[in-house]
Amino acid sequence: MELDFNNPIPLHAQLKNILEDQILQGYYKDKIPSERELMDMYSVSRSTVREAVSILVREGILEKRHGKGTFVSLKPVQEWLKMISFTETTKNMGIKLLNHGPVITPENIADANGFEDESYHIKRLRLQDDIPIAIELHYYPIELGQKIAEYDLSTTVLYDALEGDLNINFCEAEQIITCGYPTMEDAEHLAVSDTMCLLITERMIFDSDGNMVEYYKGLFRSDMYSFAMKMSRKNN
Amino acid sequence: MELDFNNPIPLHAQLKNILEDQILQGYYKDKIPSERELMDMYSVSRSTVREAVSILVREGILEKRHGKGTFVSLKPVQEWLKMISFTETTKNMGIKLLNHGPVITPENIADANGFEDESYHIKRLRLQDDIPIAIELHYYPIELGQKIAEYDLSTTVLYDALEGDLNINFCEAEQIITCGYPTMEDAEHLAVSDTMCLLITERMIFDSDGNMVEYYKGLFRSDMYSFAMKMSRKNN
DNA sequence: TAGTGGTCTAGACCACATG
DNA sequence: ATGTGGTCTAGACCACTAG
């Protein structure tokens, strides 16, 4: 990939996109080239490189370490996402039910996917070795949600319930990774500070007829796996 | 205020602090000087000015408008804070109770202020002309909270209850303004987008013996008052 | 000592907004 | 035409990290 100097898109934005793609595709797994190396690779000034990199840092994808380099901080999260994905290997994995019940469907969900005015909402805390690592928000069509509610939600794995007993086949799942920040309530549940970064995952699940049967959002602690790294960094 | 070129604190950080102070003290009420003017005023390069300003933009205190200038976006919030402060002039003001009950005191609150393990939590939605503008989180000592719970919380103004019938005198109130971002749940309640900025207000209230009787956090929509400004900007 | 990110400068041209 | 923020360059020195 090269920069297009005639493209009206700013060079730092182009470079940011290139780096982001390369990171997401696993080309850079740990460390990205130094700022001066990127200057040469893409024939731009250091300011432009720094602008591109700082955007990715702000988004939580990269992490700078003074005197050492710039490092990918997404990897641990990708591993999580695998770990907590559909298959849900429940080893050391716990669930705590926080809330559930019918709610008025949030506008952004209803607009995007044609849910009814009401939907069934389930809010769960996800634990790993008894440590809270994520909050999950689930929205279901009201009838489906009510069926799901008959299960013991605090212990049952939702997808198993969906797939097995409720006779639903998953057709499609979209996954979007963005970056956000916790508010007080999430901070409480996850025991994170006000400014700590959370990763937000969105997922829509459809049945074989193409109807959305679940809208999912997960908020994940971005520090859980990078904590050890930060500790070792401090100890050096 | 001038920059100290011998101070190890980076110039952009010094300038950022100066600008922030001046904004909070009302010296700049609408527009701050242009980047080139700030260059001359503080004898620094444009990069340094831009770095300082961009921090304040990231924190939601300033707002840039291409071709026009850099503007203060905190003013409306300060007006809110007055509007919704202790006196609580309830004109056009509504309250909706979202949650209340005993909870395990969040660690950061317990640590800082010596609350008991359990505290009484009240979560309210604040409305202005039926439009949700803020979420409030209140924590009380468990006994006090239980008394408060006997009131009709969805309509009663909390501070009136505290001061009048429960025989408590306020001694001190600290107010911290920081900036954060909403998660899904807050976005739902306040009907804001994922990336919209919320302002977080913290307040601790003590009785005449110096015991904390309330820990308060409010999440405010930062767009409510700047909306009109943005609209007029688009219409130009 | 060499390499890294952090800070800072001086200058340039562009795109947007306004009179 | 002028002023604003947006982008970009080339170069410099500093502070931190490591072999």
Side-chain angles (χ1 to χ4, degrees):
Chain A
M1 285 290 285
E2 282 190 2
L3 299 181
D4 179 359
F5 284 76
N6 298 318
N7 194 319
I9 296 176
L11 296 176
H12 64 76
Q14 291 185 50
L15 180 53
K16 179 247 174 190
N17 289 333
I18 290 174
L19 290 174
E20 189 171 20
D21 282 349
Q22 290 176 326
I23 291 165
L24 290 174
Q25 284 167 18
Y27 183 71
Y28 296 131
K29 289 188 168 59
D30 180 39
K31 192 169 182 271
I32 70 168
S34 75
E35 295 177 350
R36 287 163 182 88
E37 282 171 342
L38 289 171
M39 282 175 65
D40 297 339
M41 289 166 65
Y42 294 97
S43 305
V44 291
S45 71
R46 195 159 158 227
S47 309
T48 304
V49 171
R50 284 179 62 80
E51 181 67 28
V53 168
S54 72
I55 296 171
L56 293 171
V57 168
R58 224 175 302 154
E59 292 180 357
I61 292 173
L62 289 179
E63 204 175 348
K64 292 185 174 188
R65 301 180 205 164
H66 197 166
K68 297 177 84 172
T70 303
F71 296 81
V72 176
S73 66
L74 186 66
K75 197 184 63 174
V77 179
Q78 287 177 325
E79 284 170 11
W80 281 17
L81 291 177
K82 274 184 213 159
M83 196 175 63
I84 59 139
S85 68
F86 270 64
T87 56
E88 304 231 4
T89 54
T90 49
K91 197 174 46 173
N92 304 327
M93 197 56 106
I95 295 286
K96 186 174 178 300
L97 183 64
L98 296 176
N99 271 323
H100 71 105
V103 296
I104 295 170
T105 308
E107 243 183 46
N108 55 338
I109 300 174
D111 285 355
N113 312 293
F115 260 20
E116 302 294 328
D117 286 346
E118 265 203 325
S119 57
Y120 201 89
H121 179 47
I122 292 173
K123 183 174 184 175
R124 318 191 298 180
L125 193 62
R126 189 175 280 276
L127 309 161
Q128 173 89 32
D129 296 323
D130 293 326
I131 299 167
I133 57 168
I135 289 177
E136 296 180 348
L137 310 175
H138 301 259
Y139 293 88
Y140 301 94
I142 194 78
E143 320 79 32
L144 178 60
Q146 282 167 342
K147 284 183 197 164
I148 289 173
E150 293 168 10
Y151 289 75
D152 180 5
L153 289 166
S154 61
T155 55
T156 304
V157 174
L158 282 178
Y159 295 111
D160 286 355
L162 279 169
E163 205 154 12
D165 302 304
L166 295 173
N167 211 20
I168 285 176
N169 296 310
F170 300 131
C171 252
E172 196 178 334
E174 186 166 336
Q175 209 167 64
I176 306 164
I177 302 171
T178 56
C179 194
Y181 297 85
T183 53
M184 297 310 96
E185 173 150 356
D186 302 306
E188 291 161 27
H189 284 308
L190 295 180
V192 301
S193 69
D194 293 4
T195 54
M196 183 172 287
C197 195
L198 290 190
L199 270 125
I200 301 174
T201 311
E202 272 186 313
R203 198 155 58 200
M204 283 168 276
I205 299 173
F206 303 86
D207 65 15
S208 47
D209 297 328
N211 301 312
M212 188 168 74
V213 294
E214 180 179 4
Y215 179 89
Y216 168 93
K217 279 208 171 168
L219 311 173
F220 301 95
R221 284 182 60 160
S222 61
D223 66 318
M224 284 299 292
Y225 279 77
S226 58
F227 188 66
M229 288 159 67
K230 281 176 186 161
M231 284 297 286
S232 68
R233 213 178 315 151
K234 276 184 186 169
N235 293 339
N236 288 341
Chain B
M1 285 289 286
E2 283 191 0
L3 299 181
D4 179 1
F5 284 76
N6 298 317
N7 195 317
I9 297 175
L11 295 177
H12 65 75
Q14 291 185 48
L15 179 53
K16 178 247 175 191
N17 290 332
I18 289 174
L19 290 174
E20 191 172 19
D21 282 349
Q22 290 175 326
I23 290 164
L24 291 175
Q25 285 168 18
Y27 184 71
Y28 296 131
K29 290 188 168 59
D30 181 38
K31 192 167 181 270
I32 70 168
S34 75
E35 295 177 351
R36 287 163 183 86
E37 281 170 343
L38 289 171
M39 282 175 64
D40 296 338
M41 288 167 63
Y42 294 96
S43 304
V44 291
S45 71
R46 196 162 158 223
S47 308
T48 304
V49 170
R50 283 179 63 80
E51 181 67 28
V53 169
S54 73
I55 297 170
L56 293 171
V57 169
R58 226 176 301 153
E59 292 180 358
I61 293 172
L62 289 179
E63 205 175 349
K64 292 185 175 189
R65 301 183 204 162
H66 198 166
K68 297 178 86 172
T70 304
F71 296 81
V72 176
S73 66
L74 187 65
K75 195 185 63 173
V77 179
Q78 287 177 325
E79 284 171 11
W80 281 17
L81 291 177
K82 274 184 214 160
M83 196 174 64
I84 59 143
S85 68
F86 271 62
T87 54
E88 304 231 4
T89 53
T90 51
K91 195 175 46 174
N92 302 327
M93 197 55 104
I95 295 287
K96 186 173 178 299
L97 182 64
L98 296 175
N99 271 323
H100 72 106
V103 296
I104 294 170
T105 308
E107 244 182 45
N108 55 338
I109 299 175
D111 285 355
N113 313 293
F115 259 20
E116 303 293 329
D117 286 347
E118 266 203 323
S119 57
Y120 202 90
H121 179 48
I122 292 172
K123 183 173 183 175
R124 319 192 297 182
L125 193 62
R126 190 176 279 275
L127 309 160
Q128 172 88 34
D129 297 322
D130 293 325
I131 300 167
I133 57 167
I135 288 176
E136 295 179 348
L137 310 174
H138 301 257
Y139 294 87
Y140 300 94
I142 195 80
E143 319 79 31
L144 177 61
Q146 282 168 341
K147 284 184 198 163
I148 289 173
E150 293 168 9
Y151 288 75
D152 181 5
L153 288 167
S154 61
T155 55
T156 304
V157 174
L158 281 179
Y159 295 110
D160 287 354
L162 280 170
E163 208 155 9
D165 300 303
L166 295 173
N167 209 21
I168 285 177
N169 296 311
F170 300 131
C171 253
E172 197 178 334
E174 187 166 336
Q175 208 167 64
I176 305 164
I177 302 171
T178 55
C179 194
Y181 297 86
T183 52
M184 296 310 98
E185 172 150 357
D186 301 305
E188 292 162 24
H189 284 306
L190 295 179
V192 301
S193 71
D194 293 5
T195 54
M196 182 172 289
C197 197
L198 289 189
L199 269 125
I200 300 173
T201 310
E202 272 186 313
R203 197 154 58 198
M204 284 167 277
I205 299 172
F206 302 86
D207 66 15
S208 46
D209 298 327
N211 301 311
M212 189 168 74
V213 294
E214 181 179 4
Y215 178 90
Y216 168 92
K217 278 207 173 171
L219 310 173
F220 301 95
R221 285 182 60 160
S222 62
D223 65 320
M224 285 298 293
Y225 279 77
S226 57
F227 188 66
M229 288 159 68
K230 282 177 184 158
M231 284 298 286
S232 69
R233 213 179 314 153
K234 274 183 186 168
N235 292 340
N236 288 342

